[in-house]
Each structure stands twice: as C-alpha cells, then as structure tokens.
DNA sequence: CTTGCTACTGGACGATCGATCAATTAGGCT
DNA sequence: AGCCTAATTGATCGATCGTCCAGTAGCAAG
C-alpha cells in the first residue's frame, strides 16, 4: 500500500536541463525532423510536456541549447581523440581525421540531428549565433593543428584558409557517407583527407602557405 | 455579371505536375521545412489543396519528384556552364567550379531546400533512390572532367576517388557559405577548389592517380 | 509533524497538419 | 448547343502540434 513510489522525482534545475537536452538529442536521432516535438522529447525524457516550458521558456530555446551541447561535445571528443594519440602534430591530425569517420560519428542517425539544426540556423538568429561560435572554434582547432604540422615540415601554413578547406572536405565526405553509406568506404574518406594534408605539407598548395619573404 | 471569368483553368496533367513541382521548390525556399506542407505549396501554386492529391497520390511523392527535379536541373546548369566556356578541359572545370559558387547557387534559401530533402533521404527509401541516382550522375560528370584534365597534363587520374573528393570539397564549402555567408568569401572557396585541382594535376595527390605500370 | 517552496503534472486551447471524397465546373468533342 | 469527362474545388476528418496554466506533490527546512 504505502505510497512508497513517488510519482516523480524532483531534480535540480541544472540536472533537469541537462537531462532534457540529452533527451532532445536522442529524440532527434531516433525520429529525425519529427523528433523535435515537445511531446516526443518529453516522452523520451520520461517527464510531462509541461516541464519543458518550465525549464526552457520555449521549444526554440531547448533546441538551441541542444545544438550548442552537441557541437561542443563533438569538438571535445575529436580534440581528446587527437590529443590522446599525442605523438607528432602529424599523428595528432591523423587521429583527428580517423576519429571524424569513426563508426560512432558516422552513425547516419546523427546527420539527422545536424540537418534539423542547420535548417534552423538560417531562420533563427540565436541558432545562427550558436553555429558561428562553434564553427569558429572548430576551425581554430584545425587551423592550429595544421600550422603545427606545417611547421614541423618547415612550411608556414596559413591557418585560416587551410582550416576552411579541411573542414569542408571533412564535412562533405561525412555528409555523403551518412546519406548513402554504400557509395564509398570510411577508409577512403580518411585517405582523401590524408592526401590533402600531405599535399599541403609537400608544398603543393602554395596558396595555403605564407608567402615567402622576398628580399630586394 | 457574365460569368466571363472562370474560377479555375484546367491544364494538362503534365503541365500541372510541373507547376506543382515548381511551387514546391519555391515554397521550400521561402519557408524552409515548414514550406513542405500541402497547404503552403498549393497556396503558392494558386490551386486547392486537394489538387495535389489528385496529381501525386501523396505528399511524399510530390517531394520526391521535386528533389529529382532540383538535382537534375542543377546538374544541367553546371554542365551547361562548363560546356559554354568550352576551351580546354581545365577551363571547363574552372567554369564548373566558379558556377558552383555563383550568387544564384549560393542563395542561402536554396540550402533550406536541400536540407529538407536530405533529412528525408534516410527515412524514405524512394528519396534514397533519388539521391543515389543523382549523386552518381554528378560524380560521373566530375570524374570525366577530372580525367580529361589529368590526361591533358599527362596524368592518369582515378576518376572515382577524385570525383568523391572534389564533390565533397565543393559541397562542404557551399554548405558553410550558405550557413554563414560572413565566414569567408566565394572567391576563397573557388581558390581552395582550384588549388586542390592544381595539386592533383601536379602529381601531389598520388593516391588519386593510376599506379604506374611497373615492369619486372 | 508541519510548512512552504517550487519542480512537476496533465489537460485545455486554437492552429495546422495530410488524407480523403462528394460536388462542381471547365473546356474539348460530337 | 448540349454532353461528357476529368481536372479542380473545398469542406471534413482525426491526429498532432506548441503554448499555457491551474493544480499537485516531492522534499528540505523549521
């Protein structure tokens, strides 16, 4: 008899917000575009729909928070993976490239999540802000790594354009791999990125190097 | 008085289907993911909502037809642009790259359309089929062009991986330019693609060349 | 045990969705 | 001129959406 089982458990605002963000990401993975609804998210989180309005004032704010969470978490994963294989800069970059095409990242479900976010970037200024901030950080990581790789090869790499190109190559390959996994294999994607880096280090991409000082 | 103005004008099934497909694309451009609704599309087309069910049996079929239409139309535009500047293979490839970042293509609204389609590719097998077919054709165009460019430089380019890499680079840069146009300029994107092609032609991407015949 | 704060529930609301279909009507054919 | 066909309309259905809020109840402090 005793009402030993409470109907719900109270949690701190911070813990509940985190749980709701995680539920949002899981819902988007599972149901794609339709997973962005308040009712599906709250069902996965195991709470009532009203609770979302209590902690986030609107659905849009929850989605934006989830976007920020996913982006930073992914960057931390890639950065950690890179640092853990911490030999030369070139080895760290290779580790980051391989990690970008690891099975857990390639999960096509995850592309669904990004597509939902991207489709909101152009309509909601707050989403645009999240995108700009996280992508700048991403390119900064890539740029520093590329510069270090170049320096160890005696090359002065222009971080910004090099990072833009490599991130575009990584993203483009990743998207196509998620959209139709049968087109080519993840190892080919890794090879294509490594080849580009090798070409950069070999001086074959002169536009991406600092112009040599010319005397007189 | 006189019922001189008919309430609607009948059209052939083919003409109406085409008009509805065009209205779908315009609706997706204007309203993003929310533009995929039957009512918005029919409103833009200036017809009743029931007419869509008459010509296409469901919303999904209309969307798939619109995807096919957009993809093939884009490919024809790029191919025509390439052929019109029909000097050397290298010039044709440059024209295609420049056309890929032309203002009309870079219109961020258009990314909205692609994002809606891509989000359906992983859930609807019919959309997956459209994607696979159109992307194979796209890579085929790029592959042949890259092979021709390589041949004119005395290189034997492996069409498949080269086309995969260049399409990924083009798409990745295009997506980022649409998502936040302020990050870098279209001319930089063109330069990054051209640099990659130059590296390929310069033999700096050996993995993308046919292995030289080795005797004895 | 009692009190009070607030995390939390769950249903009501109006809007909009895709699908459906009986009724209409435009426009070519005889 | 009248008919016939099929293109088109527009109302209707049940489902689902985001928002809102009055009320409930977990749980710590007193």
């Amino acid at each position: 008899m005793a009402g030993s089982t409470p109907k719900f458990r109270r949690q701190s605002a911070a813990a509940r917000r985190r749980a709701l963000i995680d539920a949002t990401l899981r819902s988007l993975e599972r149901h794609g575009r339709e997973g962005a609804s308040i009712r599906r998210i709250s069902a996965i989180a195991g709470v009532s729909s009203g609770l979302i309005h209590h902690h986030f004032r609107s659905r849009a704010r929850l989605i934006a928070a989830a976007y920020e969470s996913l982006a930073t978490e992914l960057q931390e994963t890639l950065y950690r993976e890179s640092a853990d294989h911490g030999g030369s800069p070139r080895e760290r970059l290779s580790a980051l490239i391989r990690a970008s095409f690891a099975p857990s990242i390639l999960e096509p479900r995850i592309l669904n999540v990004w597509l939902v976010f991207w489709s909101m970037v152009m309509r909601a200024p707050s989403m645009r802000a999240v995108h700009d901030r996280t992508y700048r950080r991403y390119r900064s990581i890539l740029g520093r790594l590329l510069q270090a790789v170049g320096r160890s090869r005696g090359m002065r790499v222009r971080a910004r354009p090099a990072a833009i190109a490599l991130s575009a190559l990584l993203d483009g390959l990743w998207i196509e791999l998620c959209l139709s996994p049968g087109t080519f294999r993840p190892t080919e994607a890794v090879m294509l990125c490594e080849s580009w880096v090798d070409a950069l280090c070999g001086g074959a991409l002169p536009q991406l190097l600092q112009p040599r000082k010319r005397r007189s």
Side-chain angles (χ1 to χ4, degrees), chain A residues 24 28 32-33 35-37 41 59-67 112-131:
Chain A
T24 301
L28 287 172
R33 56 162 65 255
S37 87
I41 295 170
R59 188 183 73 118
R61 288 172 199 272
L62 170 58
I63 301 286
Y67 184 24
N112 264 323
V113 186
W114 286 93
L115 291 177
V116 172
F117 289 150
W118 287 341
S119 71
M120 294 171 158
V121 164
M122 272 159 306
R123 316 197 81 77
S126 60
M127 294 292 279
R128 158 73 49 89
V130 173
H131 171 79

Short mmCIF file of all heavy atoms in Angstrom, two decimals, chain A residues 24 28 32-33 35-37 41 59-67 112-131, chain D residues 18:
data_model
loop_
_atom_site.label_atom_id
_atom_site.label_comp_id
_atom_site.label_asym_id
_atom_site.label_seq_id
_atom_site.Cartn_x
_atom_site.Cartn_y
_atom_site.Cartn_z
N THR A 24 16.52 15.52 -25.95
CA THR A 24 16.29 16.16 -27.25
C THR A 24 17.17 15.53 -28.32
O THR A 24 16.71 15.18 -29.41
CB THR A 24 16.59 17.67 -27.15
OG1 THR A 24 15.74 18.24 -26.16
CG2 THR A 24 16.33 18.34 -28.48
N LEU A 28 15.93 13.42 -31.59
CA LEU A 28 16.25 13.80 -32.95
C LEU A 28 16.96 12.66 -33.68
O LEU A 28 16.76 12.46 -34.88
CB LEU A 28 17.13 15.05 -32.95
CG LEU A 28 16.41 16.35 -32.59
CD1 LEU A 28 17.39 17.50 -32.43
CD2 LEU A 28 15.38 16.70 -33.65
N GLY A 32 14.31 11.85 -36.29
CA GLY A 32 14.61 12.86 -37.30
C GLY A 32 13.84 14.15 -37.05
O GLY A 32 13.65 14.57 -35.91
N ARG A 33 13.39 14.73 -38.11
CA ARG A 33 12.71 16.03 -38.03
C ARG A 33 11.53 15.97 -37.07
O ARG A 33 11.24 16.92 -36.36
CB ARG A 33 12.22 16.45 -39.40
CG ARG A 33 11.31 15.38 -40.03
CD ARG A 33 10.44 15.87 -41.16
NE ARG A 33 11.19 16.30 -42.31
CZ ARG A 33 11.36 17.57 -42.61
NH1 ARG A 33 10.81 18.49 -41.86
NH2 ARG A 33 12.04 17.89 -43.67
N GLY A 35 11.26 14.32 -34.51
CA GLY A 35 11.69 14.13 -33.13
C GLY A 35 11.86 15.44 -32.38
O GLY A 35 12.15 15.45 -31.19
N ALA A 36 11.67 16.54 -33.08
CA ALA A 36 11.87 17.84 -32.44
C ALA A 36 10.63 18.32 -31.71
O ALA A 36 10.60 19.45 -31.22
CB ALA A 36 12.29 18.87 -33.49
N SER A 37 9.60 17.51 -31.63
CA SER A 37 8.37 17.97 -30.98
C SER A 37 8.47 17.83 -29.46
O SER A 37 9.13 16.94 -28.93
CB SER A 37 7.18 17.16 -31.48
OG SER A 37 7.01 15.99 -30.73
N ILE A 41 10.01 14.61 -27.15
CA ILE A 41 11.17 14.84 -26.28
C ILE A 41 10.81 14.53 -24.84
O ILE A 41 11.54 13.83 -24.13
CB ILE A 41 11.66 16.30 -26.42
CG1 ILE A 41 12.19 16.55 -27.84
CG2 ILE A 41 12.73 16.60 -25.39
CD1 ILE A 41 12.46 18.01 -28.14
N ARG A 59 10.21 25.96 -27.01
CA ARG A 59 10.85 24.86 -27.70
C ARG A 59 12.14 25.33 -28.38
O ARG A 59 13.17 24.64 -28.37
CB ARG A 59 9.90 24.27 -28.74
CG ARG A 59 10.39 23.00 -29.39
CD ARG A 59 9.44 22.55 -30.46
NE ARG A 59 9.51 23.37 -31.63
CZ ARG A 59 9.87 22.94 -32.84
NH1 ARG A 59 10.14 21.67 -33.01
NH2 ARG A 59 9.92 23.74 -33.86
N ALA A 60 12.08 26.53 -28.96
CA ALA A 60 13.24 27.02 -29.71
C ALA A 60 14.47 27.11 -28.82
O ALA A 60 15.58 26.80 -29.25
CB ALA A 60 12.91 28.38 -30.32
N ARG A 61 14.26 27.55 -27.55
CA ARG A 61 15.41 27.67 -26.66
C ARG A 61 16.00 26.31 -26.33
O ARG A 61 17.22 26.16 -26.20
CB ARG A 61 14.99 28.38 -25.37
CG ARG A 61 14.72 29.87 -25.58
CD ARG A 61 14.13 30.47 -24.31
NE ARG A 61 13.45 31.72 -24.60
CZ ARG A 61 14.06 32.91 -24.62
NH1 ARG A 61 15.35 32.98 -24.37
NH2 ARG A 61 13.38 33.99 -24.91
N LEU A 62 15.15 25.32 -26.17
CA LEU A 62 15.66 23.98 -25.90
C LEU A 62 16.47 23.47 -27.07
O LEU A 62 17.57 22.91 -26.90
CB LEU A 62 14.49 23.03 -25.61
CG LEU A 62 14.84 21.54 -25.54
CD1 LEU A 62 15.89 21.28 -24.46
CD2 LEU A 62 13.60 20.70 -25.28
N ILE A 63 15.95 23.68 -28.28
CA ILE A 63 16.67 23.20 -29.47
C ILE A 63 18.03 23.88 -29.59
O ILE A 63 19.03 23.24 -29.88
CB ILE A 63 15.83 23.47 -30.73
CG1 ILE A 63 14.46 22.75 -30.62
CG2 ILE A 63 16.57 23.00 -31.97
CD1 ILE A 63 14.51 21.29 -30.80
N ALA A 64 18.05 25.18 -29.34
CA ALA A 64 19.31 25.90 -29.43
C ALA A 64 20.31 25.38 -28.41
O ALA A 64 21.50 25.20 -28.71
CB ALA A 64 19.07 27.40 -29.23
N ALA A 65 19.83 25.11 -27.20
CA ALA A 65 20.72 24.58 -26.17
C ALA A 65 21.25 23.21 -26.58
O ALA A 65 22.42 22.88 -26.34
CB ALA A 65 19.97 24.48 -24.84
N ALA A 66 20.39 22.40 -27.21
CA ALA A 66 20.83 21.08 -27.64
C ALA A 66 21.88 21.18 -28.74
O ALA A 66 22.84 20.40 -28.79
CB ALA A 66 19.63 20.27 -28.13
N TYR A 67 21.70 22.15 -29.63
CA TYR A 67 22.67 22.36 -30.70
C TYR A 67 24.03 22.69 -30.11
O TYR A 67 25.06 22.10 -30.45
CB TYR A 67 22.19 23.47 -31.62
CG TYR A 67 23.05 23.72 -32.84
CD1 TYR A 67 23.89 22.73 -33.34
CD2 TYR A 67 23.01 24.95 -33.50
CE1 TYR A 67 24.67 22.96 -34.46
CE2 TYR A 67 23.79 25.18 -34.61
CZ TYR A 67 24.62 24.19 -35.08
OH TYR A 67 25.39 24.43 -36.20
N ASN A 112 20.88 13.29 -39.13
CA ASN A 112 19.52 13.81 -38.95
C ASN A 112 19.49 14.96 -37.96
O ASN A 112 18.82 15.97 -38.19
CB ASN A 112 18.62 12.69 -38.42
CG ASN A 112 17.85 12.02 -39.55
OD1 ASN A 112 17.44 12.69 -40.49
ND2 ASN A 112 17.66 10.73 -39.45
N VAL A 113 20.23 14.80 -36.88
CA VAL A 113 20.25 15.84 -35.86
C VAL A 113 20.84 17.13 -36.42
O VAL A 113 20.27 18.21 -36.28
CB VAL A 113 21.06 15.37 -34.64
CG1 VAL A 113 20.97 16.39 -33.52
CG2 VAL A 113 20.55 14.01 -34.17
N TRP A 114 21.96 17.00 -37.09
CA TRP A 114 22.60 18.18 -37.65
C TRP A 114 21.71 18.85 -38.69
O TRP A 114 21.65 20.08 -38.78
CB TRP A 114 23.96 17.81 -38.26
CG TRP A 114 24.99 17.53 -37.23
CD1 TRP A 114 25.29 16.31 -36.70
CD2 TRP A 114 25.83 18.46 -36.55
NE1 TRP A 114 26.27 16.43 -35.75
CE2 TRP A 114 26.63 17.74 -35.64
CE3 TRP A 114 25.99 19.85 -36.63
CZ2 TRP A 114 27.57 18.36 -34.81
CZ3 TRP A 114 26.94 20.46 -35.81
CH2 TRP A 114 27.70 19.72 -34.92
N LEU A 115 21.04 18.06 -39.50
CA LEU A 115 20.19 18.65 -40.53
C LEU A 115 19.08 19.49 -39.92
O LEU A 115 18.75 20.57 -40.40
CB LEU A 115 19.60 17.53 -41.41
CG LEU A 115 20.60 16.81 -42.30
CD1 LEU A 115 19.92 15.68 -43.07
CD2 LEU A 115 21.25 17.79 -43.27
N VAL A 116 18.51 18.98 -38.83
CA VAL A 116 17.46 19.76 -38.16
C VAL A 116 18.03 21.08 -37.66
O VAL A 116 17.44 22.15 -37.83
CB VAL A 116 16.86 18.96 -37.00
CG1 VAL A 116 15.92 19.83 -36.18
CG2 VAL A 116 16.11 17.74 -37.52
N PHE A 117 19.22 21.01 -37.06
CA PHE A 117 19.83 22.24 -36.54
C PHE A 117 20.15 23.20 -37.68
O PHE A 117 19.83 24.40 -37.60
CB PHE A 117 21.10 21.89 -35.77
CG PHE A 117 20.83 21.20 -34.46
CD1 PHE A 117 21.73 20.29 -33.93
CD2 PHE A 117 19.67 21.45 -33.75
CE1 PHE A 117 21.48 19.66 -32.72
CE2 PHE A 117 19.41 20.82 -32.55
CZ PHE A 117 20.32 19.92 -32.04
N TRP A 118 20.79 22.70 -38.72
CA TRP A 118 21.18 23.59 -39.82
C TRP A 118 19.96 24.27 -40.43
O TRP A 118 20.03 25.44 -40.82
CB TRP A 118 21.94 22.79 -40.88
CG TRP A 118 23.32 22.41 -40.44
CD1 TRP A 118 24.04 22.99 -39.44
CD2 TRP A 118 24.15 21.39 -40.98
NE1 TRP A 118 25.26 22.38 -39.33
CE2 TRP A 118 25.36 21.39 -40.26
CE3 TRP A 118 23.99 20.47 -42.01
CZ2 TRP A 118 26.40 20.51 -40.55
CZ3 TRP A 118 25.03 19.59 -42.30
CH2 TRP A 118 26.22 19.62 -41.57
N SER A 119 18.87 23.54 -40.53
CA SER A 119 17.70 24.14 -41.15
C SER A 119 17.15 25.28 -40.29
O SER A 119 16.39 26.11 -40.78
CB SER A 119 16.62 23.08 -41.37
OG SER A 119 16.07 22.69 -40.12
N MET A 120 17.53 25.31 -39.02
CA MET A 120 17.08 26.39 -38.16
C MET A 120 18.07 27.55 -38.13
O MET A 120 17.70 28.65 -37.72
CB MET A 120 16.87 25.88 -36.74
CG MET A 120 15.74 24.87 -36.63
SD MET A 120 15.70 24.09 -35.00
CE MET A 120 13.99 23.54 -34.95
N VAL A 121 19.31 27.27 -38.55
CA VAL A 121 20.35 28.30 -38.46
C VAL A 121 19.95 29.52 -39.28
O VAL A 121 20.15 30.66 -38.86
CB VAL A 121 21.70 27.73 -38.94
CG1 VAL A 121 22.68 28.86 -39.23
CG2 VAL A 121 22.28 26.80 -37.89
N MET A 122 19.36 29.28 -40.44
CA MET A 122 19.09 30.40 -41.33
C MET A 122 17.84 31.17 -40.96
O MET A 122 17.58 32.23 -41.50
CB MET A 122 18.99 29.90 -42.76
CG MET A 122 20.34 29.88 -43.45
SD MET A 122 20.29 28.77 -44.84
CE MET A 122 19.72 27.29 -44.07
N ARG A 123 17.04 30.61 -40.08
CA ARG A 123 15.78 31.28 -39.74
C ARG A 123 15.84 31.93 -38.36
O ARG A 123 15.23 32.96 -38.13
CB ARG A 123 14.63 30.29 -39.81
CG ARG A 123 14.69 29.38 -41.04
CD ARG A 123 13.39 28.72 -41.32
NE ARG A 123 12.48 29.59 -42.03
CZ ARG A 123 12.58 29.87 -43.32
NH1 ARG A 123 13.53 29.33 -44.05
NH2 ARG A 123 11.72 30.68 -43.89
N ALA A 124 16.56 31.30 -37.44
CA ALA A 124 16.61 31.83 -36.07
C ALA A 124 17.99 32.44 -35.80
O ALA A 124 19.00 31.73 -35.81
CB ALA A 124 16.32 30.72 -35.07
N PRO A 125 18.04 33.72 -35.56
CA PRO A 125 19.32 34.37 -35.29
C PRO A 125 20.07 33.72 -34.13
O PRO A 125 21.30 33.65 -34.13
CB PRO A 125 18.91 35.80 -34.94
CG PRO A 125 17.61 36.00 -35.63
CD PRO A 125 16.93 34.67 -35.58
N SER A 126 19.34 33.24 -33.13
CA SER A 126 20.03 32.62 -32.00
C SER A 126 20.75 31.35 -32.45
O SER A 126 21.84 31.05 -31.97
CB SER A 126 19.02 32.29 -30.90
OG SER A 126 18.04 31.38 -31.37
N MET A 127 20.14 30.61 -33.37
CA MET A 127 20.80 29.41 -33.88
C MET A 127 22.01 29.80 -34.73
O MET A 127 23.04 29.13 -34.69
CB MET A 127 19.82 28.58 -34.71
CG MET A 127 18.68 27.99 -33.91
SD MET A 127 19.22 26.70 -32.75
CE MET A 127 19.34 25.29 -33.85
N ARG A 128 21.87 30.86 -35.49
CA ARG A 128 23.00 31.35 -36.28
C ARG A 128 24.17 31.69 -35.37
O ARG A 128 25.33 31.38 -35.65
CB ARG A 128 22.56 32.58 -37.08
CG ARG A 128 23.66 33.51 -37.55
CD ARG A 128 24.47 32.94 -38.70
NE ARG A 128 23.62 32.43 -39.76
CZ ARG A 128 23.16 33.16 -40.79
NH1 ARG A 128 23.49 34.41 -40.89
NH2 ARG A 128 22.41 32.62 -41.71
N ALA A 129 23.87 32.28 -34.23
CA ALA A 129 24.93 32.65 -33.30
C ALA A 129 25.64 31.40 -32.77
O ALA A 129 26.88 31.36 -32.69
CB ALA A 129 24.34 33.46 -32.13
N VAL A 130 24.86 30.39 -32.42
CA VAL A 130 25.47 29.15 -31.94
C VAL A 130 26.36 28.55 -33.02
O VAL A 130 27.49 28.12 -32.76
CB VAL A 130 24.38 28.13 -31.52
CG1 VAL A 130 25.01 26.79 -31.18
CG2 VAL A 130 23.60 28.66 -30.33
N HIS A 131 25.85 28.53 -34.24
CA HIS A 131 26.61 27.95 -35.34
C HIS A 131 27.93 28.68 -35.56
O HIS A 131 28.99 28.07 -35.65
CB HIS A 131 25.80 27.98 -36.63
CG HIS A 131 26.59 27.60 -37.85
ND1 HIS A 131 26.87 26.30 -38.17
CD2 HIS A 131 27.20 28.35 -38.80
CE1 HIS A 131 27.60 26.26 -39.27
NE2 HIS A 131 27.82 27.49 -39.68
P DG D 18 5.86 20.69 -31.04
OP1 DG D 18 7.28 20.79 -31.41
OP2 DG D 18 5.43 19.75 -30.00
"O5'" DG D 18 5.34 22.14 -30.63
"C5'" DG D 18 5.44 23.19 -31.56
"C4'" DG D 18 4.98 24.50 -30.94
"O4'" DG D 18 3.57 24.39 -30.63
"C3'" DG D 18 5.67 24.85 -29.61
"O3'" DG D 18 5.83 26.27 -29.53
"C2'" DG D 18 4.71 24.31 -28.56
"C1'" DG D 18 3.35 24.47 -29.23
N9 DG D 18 2.39 23.43 -28.86
C8 DG D 18 2.62 22.08 -28.80
N7 DG D 18 1.59 21.38 -28.43
C5 DG D 18 0.60 22.33 -28.24
C6 DG D 18 -0.76 22.17 -27.84
O6 DG D 18 -1.37 21.13 -27.56
N1 DG D 18 -1.42 23.39 -27.77
C2 DG D 18 -0.85 24.61 -28.05
N2 DG D 18 -1.63 25.68 -27.94
N3 DG D 18 0.42 24.77 -28.43
C4 DG D 18 1.07 23.59 -28.50
#
